[in-house]
Amino acid sequence: MEMNLKLDTLLEFLRVNKLLTQPTIGEMNKDFVITGFSSIYDSKANTLSRMEAQTFEWSSIKSAAVLCSLNAVVPKDAGIVFIPVENPRDTFAIVVNEFYPKPALTGISDTAVISQNNVQIGRNVYIGHGVIIGDNVCIGEETKIFHNVVIGNDVSIGSNCIIHSGTVIGADGFGYQKNLQGEYVKFPHLGGVQLGDYVEVGSNTVIARGKLSDTVIKKNVKIGNLNHISHDVVIHEHGMITHQTHLGGNTTVMQNSWIAPGVILKQGITIGEGSLAGMGSVVIRDVNAFDTVAGIPAKPINKKDSK
């Protein structure tokens, strides 16, 4: 999708938001129009790219403008406008989110199957092909639910959420107890699922309903692809759950924590505020706030700065 962004408009945006505090490098035409974004390694004409502290064969870069680090040594005569910022990666993401045109997805597919029993759908919601929605479901405004998502009974999804294809929200979890004959039987899952505003859930992730209480995913939590969130889990604000993780039942993940790919969290533990569980860790004990843990079983490897 093409865009039309004047270079002068981009620079003014960066200055207003205090992202640009130094002069640009290279000859600049303020009326030049940027039509898209591209990787510095596969740069395209008339686009904006980013670089860290690398050096390049400058003649190979086709981008019109490049976000670079404050200490980058770059040529003034390469036909490129270099824009020095403190953090090129973060600044590039901010610019893309601000200026790249977003497709207007609204409406409900004819192939969606939606219960007639107490389902509330907010304004400007998108529901894709093959979506199934159960009883007692509330979906907030501007939320997007992509193809083949299954939403069970007693699920609340906030506003401005994104649920990617193949995800299941509100299925029973793995909960069994022995009956009088000593055989394992399913323990009824009587709770639901609550998702706060601005939650994003990746493809083919499962979020199980609670047993007696709800499974709760709070505001602005981001969950990647192929994860399993067990019954009665609570993930607090701004939690980041990457890919292929397993969160055992009754686990609590406090705000601003990061769960790396392949992590397993034992049921019932608490992951402290601002902490990080490293890739492939098996976490079997509580993690203190701002700690980084890694390994099998996971152990603290350094303490993060609480600031």
Side-chain angles (χ1 to χ4, degrees):
M1 186 177 293
E2 191 170 284
M3 66 180 197
N4 292 285
L5 172 62
K6 281 190 175 182
L7 181 57
D8 194 38
T9 301
L10 169 62
L11 297 178
E12 181 62 20
F13 171 81
L14 294 175
R15 291 189 188 101
V16 167
N17 289 281
K18 300 181 180 179
L19 297 169
L20 177 61
T21 58
Q22 295 187 7
T24 58
I25 303 167
E27 185 176 347
M28 186 175 67
N29 175 2
K30 292 183 178 181
D31 293 325
F32 183 84
V33 174
I34 295 170
T35 59
F37 302 97
S38 66
S39 166
I40 194 75
Y41 300 105
D42 184 24
S43 57
K44 307 256 185 326
N46 303 325
T47 62
L48 176 71
S49 301
R50 70 170 176 88
M51 57 176 281
E52 308 296 335
Q54 311 104 318
T55 57
F56 292 92
E57 178 58 48
W58 303 111
S59 62
S60 69
I61 299 176
K62 301 175 183 177
S63 312
V66 174
L67 295 171
C68 63
S69 59
L70 296 176
N71 60 354
V73 179
V74 295
K76 296 181 180 180
D77 56 355
I80 303 166
V81 177
F82 292 96
I83 306 171
V85 295
E86 184 172 355
N87 189 321
R89 183 185 181 94
D90 286 353
T91 302
F92 189 77
I94 290 167
V95 170
V96 171
N97 276 300
E98 178 68 21
F99 292 108
Y100 191 73
K102 299 174 180 64
L105 289 175
T106 58
I108 299 174
S109 169
D110 292 339
T111 62
V113 179
I114 301 175
S115 169
Q116 300 301 307
N117 184 14
N118 193 30
V119 174
Q120 303 173 48
I121 298 175
R123 66 179 182 87
N124 296 331
V125 166
Y126 171 74
I127 297 177
H129 302 306
V131 172
I132 298 175
I133 297 177
D135 301 340
N136 303 316
V137 171
C138 180
I139 300 171
E141 62 184 32
E142 305 288 347
T143 284
K144 295 174 176 57
I145 300 173
F146 288 94
H147 313 312
N148 299 315
V149 168
V150 177
I151 299 173
N153 299 338
D154 305 310
V155 173
S156 173
I157 298 175
S159 300
N160 296 284
C161 294
I162 302 173
I163 313 299
H164 290 279
S165 296
T167 284
V168 177
I169 300 175
D172 281 358
F174 187 86
Y176 295 86
Q177 300 296 142
K178 289 184 177 180
N179 63 12
L180 294 174
Q181 291 73 42
E183 300 166 331
Y184 282 106
V185 296
K186 174 64 76 71
F187 183 91
H189 286 58
L190 307 178
V193 178
Q194 300 178 34
L195 271 63
D197 297 339
Y198 297 97
V199 168
E200 184 163 0
V201 182
S203 297
N204 298 312
T205 282
V206 175
I207 301 176
R209 64 191 302 106
K211 283 186 175 181
L212 299 175
S213 301
D214 290 344
T215 300
V216 178
I217 314 296
K218 295 193 176 183
K219 182 178 180 180
N220 208 42
V221 168
K222 310 301 181 186
I223 300 172
N225 302 331
L226 297 167
N227 291 291
H228 185 271
I229 313 297
S230 300
H231 61 83
D232 301 284
V233 165
V234 178
I235 305 176
H236 287 264
E237 291 83 354
H238 309 288
M240 302 292 286
I241 314 298
T242 56
H243 303 294
Q244 295 184 311
T245 68
H246 171 80
L247 278 62
N250 298 99
T251 296
T252 299
V253 179
M254 299 304 292
Q255 60 266 31
N256 299 308
S257 292
W258 184 287
I259 309 300
V263 169
I264 297 173
L265 303 183
K266 181 180 179 289
Q267 68 272 16
I269 65 173
T270 295
I271 306 300
E273 175 186 357
S275 59
L276 185 153
M279 187 179 298
S281 301
V282 177
V283 186
I284 62 174
R285 298 181 181 87
D286 291 350
V287 175
N288 294 329
F290 306 106
D291 268 7
T292 296
V293 299
I296 303 175
K299 297 179 180 179
I301 57 174
N302 70 291
K303 194 172 184 65
K304 293 172 63 180
D305 186 350
S306 62
K307 298 180 181 178

